[in-house]
Amino acid sequence: MKPPLKSHHQAPPTDEEEGGREAAPIRLPHGLRAWRSAVEMAENPSQLSVCIEQLQSCIAWDKSIMKVYCQVCCKGGSDHLLLLCDSCDRGFHTYCCTPPLEEIPAEDWFCARCTGNTGNDHTCAVCSNKGGGKQLACTKCLKNFHLTCLNPPLYKPPRGDWTCHQCTSLRTNQVTNSTRPAKGKGGRSRKSECVDVRQRRPSTYNHDLCLSLLDELKNHDCAWPFLSPVDRHQFPEYYRYIKHPMDFDTCTKKLEGNKYATNDDMLKDIRLIFNNCHKFNEDESEVGQAGLTLSCYFEKRYGETFRTR
């Protein structure tokens, strides 16, 4: 069920709560109590139909056992061996757990991520140490990694969900195997035929508009951190975390040297500037704030300049 007919997930019970205490009475969510009262007070089929529609809209169909896949191997199947966490509803094969489970537990079961939220016992999957700085948890396999143990290392945790290299590779291989292009006439694939068609089309590139937009960005009040490459002697650690540096001066040289084939080529380089800024700088820092402000300004001006034409 989904809110309002169900409250948010509760944390797994601790050992003290599982002791000799009496079980606390179940507290129903306010929305579920109101829904039950509405069903009891229904006087005609129309009112009852409204209650049924509300119930159907609150059913979490996306969490059905038919759609759940293992968070470790990223595969479905073997439903009789698929175990659901009683807190986050994520799926795990019994043979993918560490250590593997011989059978489905009869009582409530919680995954490593949910049980880990109740304490600080996090071990890095690379160096096997608990300390040593900030850690990052993979949302798929739920393993923990030091930011400095990753390859390449990260300067700060990324926004939102993050998946490790192993899980990303598994998902990429699955997508590649499931989307193989069909063969066309003469043994050529349809994908290669589409590429040939795109190559025969004239490239969408306007040198003057790109130059004008780049000049606008360079003259913006928040452009000062991105005008030239980062000094290697002043910030040597920058190039340890940022493998593909970019700046407005480099973009200008590529633009003047006709290195861009389309408008989107310059778009990718400018977005790379702001992505590098987010990876290395804290959002609350002066450079981080400048990057966020200039990024929003660029996206707005790019849409006004190119996508309306």
Side-chain angles (χ1 to χ4, degrees), residues 166-231:
Q166 181 179 4
C167 294
T168 303
S169 300
L170 288 174
R171 181 55 59 91
T172 302
N173 293 335
Q174 290 179 352
V175 173
T176 303
N177 294 333
S178 62
T179 57
R180 291 179 178 175
K183 294 292 184 179
K185 296 181 179 180
R188 298 181 63 193
S189 67
R190 296 176 182 175
K191 182 177 181 180
S192 63
E193 293 176 356
C194 294
V195 172
D196 292 342
V197 172
R198 289 197 299 266
Q199 290 176 349
R200 290 195 294 267
R201 293 176 182 172
S203 61
T204 56
Y205 177 63
N206 191 314
H207 180 274
D208 294 336
L209 289 179
C210 288
L211 184 60
S212 175
L213 180 58
L214 188 56
D215 288 339
E216 283 188 43
L217 295 176
K218 294 166 66 175
N219 293 326
H220 196 278
D221 293 338
C222 296
W224 58 270
F226 318 110
L227 294 176
S228 58
V230 176
D231 191 343

Short mmCIF file of all heavy atoms in Angstrom, two decimals, residues 166-231:
data_model
loop_
_atom_site.label_atom_id
_atom_site.label_comp_id
_atom_site.label_asym_id
_atom_site.label_seq_id
_atom_site.Cartn_x
_atom_site.Cartn_y
_atom_site.Cartn_z
N GLN A 166 30.68 -2.19 -10.51
CA GLN A 166 30.26 -3.55 -10.81
C GLN A 166 28.77 -3.61 -11.17
O GLN A 166 28.39 -4.24 -12.15
CB GLN A 166 30.55 -4.47 -9.62
CG GLN A 166 30.16 -5.93 -9.86
CD GLN A 166 30.48 -6.81 -8.67
OE1 GLN A 166 30.93 -6.31 -7.64
NE2 GLN A 166 30.25 -8.10 -8.80
N CYS A 167 27.93 -2.94 -10.40
CA CYS A 167 26.49 -2.94 -10.68
C CYS A 167 26.19 -2.20 -11.97
O CYS A 167 25.31 -2.60 -12.74
CB CYS A 167 25.74 -2.30 -9.51
SG CYS A 167 25.85 -3.25 -7.96
N THR A 168 26.91 -1.11 -12.22
CA THR A 168 26.71 -0.37 -13.47
C THR A 168 27.08 -1.22 -14.67
O THR A 168 26.39 -1.21 -15.70
CB THR A 168 27.54 0.91 -13.46
OG1 THR A 168 27.19 1.70 -12.31
CG2 THR A 168 27.29 1.73 -14.71
N SER A 169 28.16 -1.99 -14.56
CA SER A 169 28.57 -2.86 -15.66
C SER A 169 27.57 -3.96 -15.91
O SER A 169 27.26 -4.30 -17.06
CB SER A 169 29.95 -3.47 -15.35
OG SER A 169 30.92 -2.46 -15.17
N LEU A 170 27.02 -4.54 -14.83
CA LEU A 170 26.00 -5.58 -15.00
C LEU A 170 24.78 -5.04 -15.72
O LEU A 170 24.25 -5.67 -16.64
CB LEU A 170 25.60 -6.14 -13.63
CG LEU A 170 26.62 -7.04 -12.93
CD1 LEU A 170 26.14 -7.38 -11.53
CD2 LEU A 170 26.86 -8.31 -13.74
N ARG A 171 24.31 -3.86 -15.32
CA ARG A 171 23.12 -3.29 -15.95
C ARG A 171 23.41 -2.91 -17.40
O ARG A 171 22.56 -3.11 -18.28
CB ARG A 171 22.66 -2.07 -15.14
CG ARG A 171 21.40 -1.41 -15.70
CD ARG A 171 20.27 -2.41 -15.82
NE ARG A 171 19.95 -3.00 -14.54
CZ ARG A 171 19.04 -2.50 -13.72
NH1 ARG A 171 18.38 -1.42 -14.07
NH2 ARG A 171 18.77 -3.09 -12.59
N THR A 172 24.61 -2.40 -17.69
CA THR A 172 24.95 -2.04 -19.07
C THR A 172 24.99 -3.27 -19.97
O THR A 172 24.50 -3.24 -21.11
CB THR A 172 26.32 -1.34 -19.10
OG1 THR A 172 26.26 -0.18 -18.26
CG2 THR A 172 26.68 -0.91 -20.52
N ASN A 173 25.54 -4.38 -19.46
CA ASN A 173 25.58 -5.61 -20.25
C ASN A 173 24.19 -6.15 -20.53
O ASN A 173 23.90 -6.65 -21.62
CB ASN A 173 26.42 -6.67 -19.53
CG ASN A 173 27.88 -6.30 -19.45
OD1 ASN A 173 28.38 -5.53 -20.28
ND2 ASN A 173 28.59 -6.82 -18.46
N GLN A 174 23.29 -6.04 -19.55
CA GLN A 174 21.93 -6.50 -19.75
C GLN A 174 21.22 -5.68 -20.81
O GLN A 174 20.53 -6.21 -21.67
CB GLN A 174 21.15 -6.45 -18.43
CG GLN A 174 21.60 -7.48 -17.42
CD GLN A 174 20.82 -7.37 -16.12
OE1 GLN A 174 20.05 -6.44 -15.92
NE2 GLN A 174 21.03 -8.32 -15.23
N VAL A 175 21.39 -4.37 -20.74
CA VAL A 175 20.75 -3.50 -21.73
C VAL A 175 21.32 -3.75 -23.12
O VAL A 175 20.59 -3.81 -24.12
CB VAL A 175 20.93 -2.03 -21.33
CG1 VAL A 175 20.43 -1.11 -22.43
CG2 VAL A 175 20.19 -1.74 -20.03
N THR A 176 22.63 -3.96 -23.22
CA THR A 176 23.27 -4.20 -24.52
C THR A 176 22.79 -5.50 -25.13
O THR A 176 22.48 -5.58 -26.32
CB THR A 176 24.80 -4.22 -24.36
OG1 THR A 176 25.23 -2.99 -23.79
CG2 THR A 176 25.48 -4.42 -25.71
N ASN A 177 22.68 -6.56 -24.31
CA ASN A 177 22.25 -7.85 -24.83
C ASN A 177 20.79 -7.86 -25.23
O ASN A 177 20.39 -8.62 -26.11
CB ASN A 177 22.50 -8.94 -23.78
CG ASN A 177 23.98 -9.13 -23.51
OD1 ASN A 177 24.81 -8.87 -24.38
ND2 ASN A 177 24.31 -9.59 -22.31
N SER A 178 19.98 -7.03 -24.56
CA SER A 178 18.54 -7.02 -24.86
C SER A 178 18.16 -6.06 -25.97
O SER A 178 17.02 -6.04 -26.41
CB SER A 178 17.75 -6.65 -23.59
OG SER A 178 18.10 -5.36 -23.15
N THR A 179 19.10 -5.25 -26.44
CA THR A 179 18.79 -4.27 -27.49
C THR A 179 19.72 -4.42 -28.68
O THR A 179 20.19 -3.44 -29.25
CB THR A 179 18.91 -2.84 -26.94
OG1 THR A 179 20.24 -2.65 -26.42
CG2 THR A 179 17.90 -2.59 -25.84
N ARG A 180 20.03 -5.65 -29.07
CA ARG A 180 20.85 -5.86 -30.24
C ARG A 180 20.08 -5.47 -31.50
O ARG A 180 18.92 -5.86 -31.65
CB ARG A 180 21.27 -7.33 -30.33
CG ARG A 180 22.25 -7.74 -29.24
CD ARG A 180 22.61 -9.21 -29.38
NE ARG A 180 23.59 -9.58 -28.36
CZ ARG A 180 24.01 -10.83 -28.19
NH1 ARG A 180 23.56 -11.80 -28.98
NH2 ARG A 180 24.90 -11.09 -27.25
N PRO A 181 20.67 -4.71 -32.40
CA PRO A 181 19.95 -4.26 -33.59
C PRO A 181 19.63 -5.41 -34.52
O PRO A 181 20.42 -6.34 -34.69
CB PRO A 181 20.93 -3.26 -34.24
CG PRO A 181 22.27 -3.69 -33.74
CD PRO A 181 22.05 -4.22 -32.35
N ALA A 182 18.44 -5.35 -35.13
CA ALA A 182 18.02 -6.37 -36.08
C ALA A 182 18.71 -6.15 -37.41
O ALA A 182 19.07 -5.04 -37.78
CB ALA A 182 16.50 -6.32 -36.25
N LYS A 183 18.89 -7.24 -38.13
CA LYS A 183 19.54 -7.18 -39.42
C LYS A 183 18.57 -6.69 -40.49
O LYS A 183 17.41 -7.07 -40.54
CB LYS A 183 20.08 -8.56 -39.82
CG LYS A 183 21.20 -9.06 -38.91
CD LYS A 183 22.46 -8.22 -39.08
CE LYS A 183 23.59 -8.77 -38.24
NZ LYS A 183 24.82 -8.00 -38.40
N GLY A 184 19.05 -5.82 -41.38
CA GLY A 184 18.25 -5.34 -42.49
C GLY A 184 18.65 -6.05 -43.77
O GLY A 184 19.22 -7.14 -43.76
N LYS A 185 18.37 -5.45 -44.87
CA LYS A 185 18.68 -6.05 -46.15
C LYS A 185 20.19 -6.04 -46.35
O LYS A 185 20.88 -5.11 -45.99
CB LYS A 185 18.01 -5.27 -47.28
CG LYS A 185 16.48 -5.33 -47.21
CD LYS A 185 15.87 -4.57 -48.36
CE LYS A 185 14.34 -4.64 -48.31
NZ LYS A 185 13.72 -3.90 -49.43
N GLY A 186 20.65 -7.12 -47.01
CA GLY A 186 22.06 -7.22 -47.32
C GLY A 186 22.94 -7.47 -46.12
O GLY A 186 24.14 -7.27 -46.17
N GLY A 187 22.34 -7.91 -45.00
CA GLY A 187 23.13 -8.25 -43.81
C GLY A 187 23.51 -7.06 -42.98
O GLY A 187 24.14 -7.21 -41.96
N ARG A 188 23.16 -5.83 -43.35
CA ARG A 188 23.50 -4.66 -42.56
C ARG A 188 22.47 -4.46 -41.46
O ARG A 188 21.29 -4.74 -41.64
CB ARG A 188 23.55 -3.42 -43.43
CG ARG A 188 24.61 -3.47 -44.52
CD ARG A 188 24.60 -2.18 -45.31
NE ARG A 188 24.94 -1.06 -44.46
CZ ARG A 188 24.76 0.20 -44.84
NH1 ARG A 188 24.24 0.48 -46.02
NH2 ARG A 188 25.10 1.18 -44.03
N SER A 189 22.91 -3.98 -40.33
CA SER A 189 21.98 -3.75 -39.24
C SER A 189 21.24 -2.45 -39.45
O SER A 189 21.71 -1.53 -40.11
CB SER A 189 22.75 -3.69 -37.90
OG SER A 189 23.59 -2.55 -37.88
N ARG A 190 20.01 -2.40 -38.87
CA ARG A 190 19.20 -1.18 -38.98
C ARG A 190 19.87 -0.01 -38.29
O ARG A 190 19.71 1.14 -38.67
CB ARG A 190 17.81 -1.44 -38.40
CG ARG A 190 17.03 -2.49 -39.17
CD ARG A 190 15.70 -2.79 -38.48
NE ARG A 190 14.97 -3.83 -39.19
CZ ARG A 190 13.83 -4.35 -38.75
NH1 ARG A 190 13.32 -3.94 -37.59
NH2 ARG A 190 13.22 -5.28 -39.44
N LYS A 191 20.62 -0.31 -37.22
CA LYS A 191 21.29 0.76 -36.50
C LYS A 191 22.32 1.45 -37.38
O LYS A 191 22.44 2.67 -37.41
CB LYS A 191 21.95 0.20 -35.24
CG LYS A 191 22.64 1.27 -34.40
CD LYS A 191 23.20 0.65 -33.14
CE LYS A 191 23.88 1.73 -32.29
NZ LYS A 191 24.45 1.16 -31.06
N SER A 192 23.11 0.63 -38.16
CA SER A 192 24.12 1.23 -39.03
C SER A 192 23.47 2.02 -40.15
O SER A 192 24.00 3.04 -40.59
CB SER A 192 25.02 0.13 -39.59
OG SER A 192 24.27 -0.77 -40.40
N GLU A 193 22.28 1.57 -40.60
CA GLU A 193 21.58 2.31 -41.64
C GLU A 193 21.14 3.67 -41.12
O GLU A 193 21.22 4.68 -41.82
CB GLU A 193 20.38 1.51 -42.14
CG GLU A 193 20.78 0.24 -42.89
CD GLU A 193 19.56 -0.57 -43.27
OE1 GLU A 193 18.45 -0.16 -42.88
OE2 GLU A 193 19.71 -1.60 -43.95
N CYS A 194 20.68 3.72 -39.84
CA CYS A 194 20.26 5.00 -39.26
C CYS A 194 21.46 5.93 -39.11
O CYS A 194 21.34 7.14 -39.32
CB CYS A 194 19.61 4.76 -37.89
SG CYS A 194 18.05 3.85 -37.99
N VAL A 195 22.63 5.37 -38.76
CA VAL A 195 23.82 6.20 -38.63
C VAL A 195 24.19 6.80 -39.97
O VAL A 195 24.56 7.97 -40.07
CB VAL A 195 24.98 5.37 -38.06
CG1 VAL A 195 26.27 6.16 -38.09
CG2 VAL A 195 24.67 4.93 -36.63
N ASP A 196 24.07 5.99 -41.06
CA ASP A 196 24.39 6.49 -42.38
C ASP A 196 23.46 7.63 -42.78
O ASP A 196 23.88 8.62 -43.39
CB ASP A 196 24.29 5.37 -43.40
CG ASP A 196 25.38 4.32 -43.19
OD1 ASP A 196 26.36 4.65 -42.50
OD2 ASP A 196 25.23 3.19 -43.68
N VAL A 197 22.18 7.51 -42.40
CA VAL A 197 21.23 8.56 -42.72
C VAL A 197 21.58 9.84 -42.00
O VAL A 197 21.55 10.93 -42.56
CB VAL A 197 19.79 8.11 -42.36
CG1 VAL A 197 18.82 9.27 -42.51
CG2 VAL A 197 19.38 6.95 -43.25
N ARG A 198 21.97 9.74 -40.69
CA ARG A 198 22.34 10.93 -39.94
C ARG A 198 23.60 11.58 -40.50
O ARG A 198 23.75 12.80 -40.49
CB ARG A 198 22.54 10.57 -38.46
CG ARG A 198 21.26 10.24 -37.73
CD ARG A 198 21.49 10.30 -36.23
NE ARG A 198 22.51 9.35 -35.81
CZ ARG A 198 22.23 8.13 -35.38
NH1 ARG A 198 20.99 7.70 -35.34
NH2 ARG A 198 23.20 7.32 -34.99
N GLN A 199 24.52 10.73 -40.97
CA GLN A 199 25.75 11.29 -41.52
C GLN A 199 25.51 12.04 -42.82
O GLN A 199 26.23 12.97 -43.16
CB GLN A 199 26.76 10.17 -41.74
CG GLN A 199 27.32 9.58 -40.45
CD GLN A 199 28.24 8.42 -40.70
OE1 GLN A 199 28.31 7.91 -41.82
NE2 GLN A 199 28.96 7.99 -39.67
N ARG A 200 24.48 11.64 -43.58
CA ARG A 200 24.19 12.31 -44.83
C ARG A 200 23.45 13.62 -44.62
O ARG A 200 23.37 14.46 -45.51
CB ARG A 200 23.36 11.39 -45.74
CG ARG A 200 24.14 10.20 -46.27
CD ARG A 200 23.39 9.55 -47.42
NE ARG A 200 22.14 8.96 -46.99
CZ ARG A 200 22.00 7.70 -46.61
NH1 ARG A 200 23.05 6.90 -46.60
NH2 ARG A 200 20.84 7.22 -46.24
N ARG A 201 22.85 13.80 -43.40
CA ARG A 201 22.13 15.05 -43.13
C ARG A 201 23.13 16.17 -42.84
O ARG A 201 24.20 15.94 -42.27
CB ARG A 201 21.21 14.87 -41.91
CG ARG A 201 20.06 13.90 -42.16
CD ARG A 201 19.27 13.71 -40.89
NE ARG A 201 18.18 12.77 -41.06
CZ ARG A 201 17.43 12.31 -40.06
NH1 ARG A 201 17.68 12.70 -38.83
NH2 ARG A 201 16.45 11.47 -40.31
N PRO A 202 22.78 17.40 -43.20
CA PRO A 202 23.67 18.52 -42.87
C PRO A 202 23.72 18.74 -41.37
O PRO A 202 22.72 18.63 -40.68
CB PRO A 202 23.03 19.71 -43.59
CG PRO A 202 21.60 19.32 -43.77
CD PRO A 202 21.58 17.84 -43.95
N SER A 203 24.87 19.03 -40.82
CA SER A 203 25.03 19.24 -39.39
C SER A 203 24.39 20.55 -38.96
O SER A 203 24.46 21.55 -39.67
CB SER A 203 26.51 19.24 -39.01
OG SER A 203 27.18 20.29 -39.67
N THR A 204 23.75 20.54 -37.81
CA THR A 204 23.12 21.74 -37.26
C THR A 204 24.16 22.50 -36.45
O THR A 204 24.46 22.14 -35.32
CB THR A 204 21.93 21.36 -36.38
OG1 THR A 204 22.38 20.47 -35.37
CG2 THR A 204 20.84 20.69 -37.21
N TYR A 205 24.75 23.51 -37.04
CA TYR A 205 25.82 24.25 -36.38
C TYR A 205 25.76 25.71 -36.83
O TYR A 205 25.69 26.01 -38.01
CB TYR A 205 27.18 23.65 -36.73
CG TYR A 205 28.34 24.41 -36.15
CD1 TYR A 205 28.50 24.49 -34.77
CD2 TYR A 205 29.27 25.03 -36.97
CE1 TYR A 205 29.57 25.19 -34.23
CE2 TYR A 205 30.34 25.72 -36.44
CZ TYR A 205 30.48 25.80 -35.06
OH TYR A 205 31.53 26.48 -34.53
N ASN A 206 25.75 26.59 -35.83
CA ASN A 206 25.74 28.02 -36.11
C ASN A 206 26.88 28.64 -35.33
O ASN A 206 26.79 28.84 -34.11
CB ASN A 206 24.39 28.64 -35.72
CG ASN A 206 24.24 30.06 -36.23
OD1 ASN A 206 25.14 30.87 -36.11
ND2 ASN A 206 23.07 30.36 -36.79
N HIS A 207 27.96 28.93 -36.03
CA HIS A 207 29.17 29.41 -35.37
C HIS A 207 28.94 30.75 -34.68
O HIS A 207 29.40 30.97 -33.54
CB HIS A 207 30.29 29.53 -36.41
CG HIS A 207 31.59 30.02 -35.84
ND1 HIS A 207 31.87 31.37 -35.69
CD2 HIS A 207 32.68 29.35 -35.36
CE1 HIS A 207 33.06 31.51 -35.16
NE2 HIS A 207 33.58 30.30 -34.96
N ASP A 208 28.22 31.66 -35.32
CA ASP A 208 28.03 33.00 -34.75
C ASP A 208 27.20 32.95 -33.48
O ASP A 208 27.51 33.65 -32.50
CB ASP A 208 27.35 33.90 -35.79
CG ASP A 208 28.24 34.16 -36.99
OD1 ASP A 208 29.48 34.04 -36.83
OD2 ASP A 208 27.72 34.46 -38.07
N LEU A 209 26.14 32.12 -33.46
CA LEU A 209 25.32 32.02 -32.26
C LEU A 209 26.10 31.38 -31.11
O LEU A 209 25.96 31.79 -29.95
CB LEU A 209 24.05 31.22 -32.56
CG LEU A 209 23.00 31.91 -33.44
CD1 LEU A 209 21.82 30.98 -33.67
CD2 LEU A 209 22.53 33.21 -32.80
N CYS A 210 26.89 30.37 -31.42
CA CYS A 210 27.70 29.74 -30.38
C CYS A 210 28.70 30.72 -29.79
O CYS A 210 28.89 30.79 -28.57
CB CYS A 210 28.44 28.52 -30.95
SG CYS A 210 27.38 27.10 -31.31
N LEU A 211 29.34 31.50 -30.66
CA LEU A 211 30.31 32.48 -30.19
C LEU A 211 29.64 33.55 -29.34
O LEU A 211 30.17 33.98 -28.31
CB LEU A 211 31.02 33.11 -31.39
CG LEU A 211 32.14 34.11 -31.08
CD1 LEU A 211 33.24 33.43 -30.27
CD2 LEU A 211 32.69 34.70 -32.36
N SER A 212 28.45 33.99 -29.76
CA SER A 212 27.72 35.01 -29.01
C SER A 212 27.31 34.50 -27.62
O SER A 212 27.45 35.21 -26.62
CB SER A 212 26.49 35.45 -29.79
OG SER A 212 25.71 36.36 -29.04
N LEU A 213 26.82 33.24 -27.56
CA LEU A 213 26.41 32.68 -26.29
C LEU A 213 27.61 32.48 -25.37
O LEU A 213 27.53 32.73 -24.16
CB LEU A 213 25.69 31.35 -26.51
CG LEU A 213 25.19 30.62 -25.26
CD1 LEU A 213 24.25 31.50 -24.45
CD2 LEU A 213 24.51 29.31 -25.64
N LEU A 214 28.72 32.04 -25.93
CA LEU A 214 29.92 31.84 -25.12
C LEU A 214 30.44 33.17 -24.56
O LEU A 214 30.89 33.24 -23.41
CB LEU A 214 31.00 31.16 -25.96
CG LEU A 214 32.26 30.70 -25.22
CD1 LEU A 214 31.91 29.77 -24.07
CD2 LEU A 214 33.21 30.00 -26.19
N ASP A 215 30.35 34.24 -25.35
CA ASP A 215 30.75 35.56 -24.86
C ASP A 215 29.85 36.02 -23.72
O ASP A 215 30.30 36.66 -22.77
CB ASP A 215 30.73 36.57 -26.01
CG ASP A 215 31.87 36.36 -26.99
OD1 ASP A 215 32.87 35.73 -26.60
OD2 ASP A 215 31.75 36.80 -28.15
N GLU A 216 28.55 35.71 -23.82
CA GLU A 216 27.62 36.06 -22.73
C GLU A 216 28.02 35.38 -21.43
O GLU A 216 28.01 35.99 -20.36
CB GLU A 216 26.19 35.65 -23.11
CG GLU A 216 25.49 36.58 -24.09
CD GLU A 216 24.03 36.22 -24.25
OE1 GLU A 216 23.37 35.93 -23.22
OE2 GLU A 216 23.54 36.20 -25.39
N LEU A 217 28.37 34.10 -21.53
CA LEU A 217 28.75 33.36 -20.33
C LEU A 217 30.04 33.92 -19.74
O LEU A 217 30.16 34.06 -18.51
CB LEU A 217 28.93 31.88 -20.67
CG LEU A 217 27.68 31.12 -21.11
CD1 LEU A 217 28.03 29.70 -21.51
CD2 LEU A 217 26.63 31.11 -20.01
N LYS A 218 31.02 34.26 -20.58
CA LYS A 218 32.30 34.76 -20.09
C LYS A 218 32.16 36.13 -19.43
O LYS A 218 32.94 36.49 -18.55
CB LYS A 218 33.29 34.83 -21.24
CG LYS A 218 33.67 33.45 -21.78
CD LYS A 218 34.38 33.52 -23.12
CE LYS A 218 35.73 34.18 -23.00
NZ LYS A 218 36.46 34.15 -24.29
N ASN A 219 31.14 36.90 -19.83
CA ASN A 219 30.92 38.23 -19.26
C ASN A 219 29.98 38.21 -18.06
O ASN A 219 29.70 39.25 -17.48
CB ASN A 219 30.37 39.18 -20.33
CG ASN A 219 31.39 39.46 -21.43
OD1 ASN A 219 32.59 39.53 -21.17
ND2 ASN A 219 30.91 39.62 -22.66
N HIS A 220 29.46 37.04 -17.70
CA HIS A 220 28.55 36.93 -16.56
C HIS A 220 29.32 37.14 -15.26
O HIS A 220 30.52 36.82 -15.15
CB HIS A 220 27.88 35.56 -16.56
CG HIS A 220 26.68 35.46 -15.67
ND1 HIS A 220 26.78 35.24 -14.31
CD2 HIS A 220 25.36 35.58 -15.95
CE1 HIS A 220 25.57 35.20 -13.79
NE2 HIS A 220 24.69 35.41 -14.76
N ASP A 221 28.64 37.67 -14.24
CA ASP A 221 29.28 37.95 -12.96
C ASP A 221 29.80 36.69 -12.27
O ASP A 221 30.74 36.77 -11.46
CB ASP A 221 28.30 38.68 -12.04
CG ASP A 221 27.97 40.08 -12.54
OD1 ASP A 221 28.77 40.62 -13.34
OD2 ASP A 221 26.90 40.62 -12.16
N CYS A 222 29.19 35.53 -12.55
CA CYS A 222 29.58 34.29 -11.88
C CYS A 222 30.55 33.44 -12.71
O CYS A 222 30.79 32.28 -12.37
CB CYS A 222 28.32 33.46 -11.57
SG CYS A 222 27.18 34.24 -10.41
N ALA A 223 31.09 34.01 -13.78
CA ALA A 223 31.96 33.22 -14.68
C ALA A 223 33.41 33.20 -14.24
O ALA A 223 34.22 32.47 -14.83
CB ALA A 223 31.85 33.76 -16.10
N TRP A 224 33.79 33.97 -13.25
CA TRP A 224 35.19 34.12 -12.90
C TRP A 224 35.91 32.81 -12.55
O TRP A 224 37.10 32.68 -12.86
CB TRP A 224 35.33 35.12 -11.74
CG TRP A 224 34.58 34.76 -10.50
CD1 TRP A 224 33.30 35.10 -10.19
CD2 TRP A 224 35.06 33.99 -9.41
NE1 TRP A 224 32.93 34.58 -8.98
CE2 TRP A 224 34.00 33.89 -8.47
CE3 TRP A 224 36.27 33.35 -9.12
CZ2 TRP A 224 34.12 33.20 -7.27
CZ3 TRP A 224 36.39 32.66 -7.92
CH2 TRP A 224 35.33 32.59 -7.02
N PRO A 225 35.27 31.77 -11.95
CA PRO A 225 36.05 30.56 -11.65
C PRO A 225 36.31 29.69 -12.87
O PRO A 225 37.13 28.77 -12.81
CB PRO A 225 35.18 29.82 -10.63
CG PRO A 225 34.12 30.78 -10.21
CD PRO A 225 33.92 31.68 -11.39
N PHE A 226 35.60 29.96 -13.99
CA PHE A 226 35.63 29.04 -15.13
C PHE A 226 36.24 29.65 -16.39
O PHE A 226 36.15 29.07 -17.46
CB PHE A 226 34.20 28.57 -15.44
CG PHE A 226 33.39 28.25 -14.22
CD1 PHE A 226 32.33 29.07 -13.83
CD2 PHE A 226 33.70 27.15 -13.44
CE1 PHE A 226 31.59 28.78 -12.70
CE2 PHE A 226 32.97 26.86 -12.30
CZ PHE A 226 31.90 27.68 -11.93
N LEU A 227 36.85 30.82 -16.27
CA LEU A 227 37.38 31.49 -17.45
C LEU A 227 38.62 30.80 -18.00
O LEU A 227 38.83 30.78 -19.22
CB LEU A 227 37.71 32.95 -17.11
CG LEU A 227 36.51 33.84 -16.76
CD1 LEU A 227 36.98 35.23 -16.35
CD2 LEU A 227 35.54 33.93 -17.94
N SER A 228 39.46 30.22 -17.16
CA SER A 228 40.72 29.61 -17.59
C SER A 228 40.90 28.28 -16.87
O SER A 228 40.21 28.00 -15.87
CB SER A 228 41.90 30.54 -17.30
OG SER A 228 41.95 30.85 -15.92
N PRO A 229 41.81 27.43 -17.32
CA PRO A 229 42.03 26.13 -16.67
C PRO A 229 42.48 26.29 -15.22
O PRO A 229 43.10 27.29 -14.84
CB PRO A 229 43.13 25.49 -17.52
CG PRO A 229 43.03 26.15 -18.85
CD PRO A 229 42.60 27.57 -18.56
N VAL A 230 42.16 25.31 -14.40
CA VAL A 230 42.55 25.31 -13.00
C VAL A 230 44.07 25.15 -12.90
O VAL A 230 44.67 24.31 -13.59
CB VAL A 230 41.84 24.18 -12.23
CG1 VAL A 230 42.32 24.12 -10.78
CG2 VAL A 230 40.33 24.38 -12.28
N ASP A 231 44.69 25.96 -12.07
CA ASP A 231 46.15 25.94 -11.91
C ASP A 231 46.59 24.63 -11.26
O ASP A 231 46.19 24.30 -10.15
CB ASP A 231 46.57 27.13 -11.05
CG ASP A 231 48.08 27.33 -11.05
OD1 ASP A 231 48.80 26.39 -11.43
OD2 ASP A 231 48.53 28.43 -10.67
#
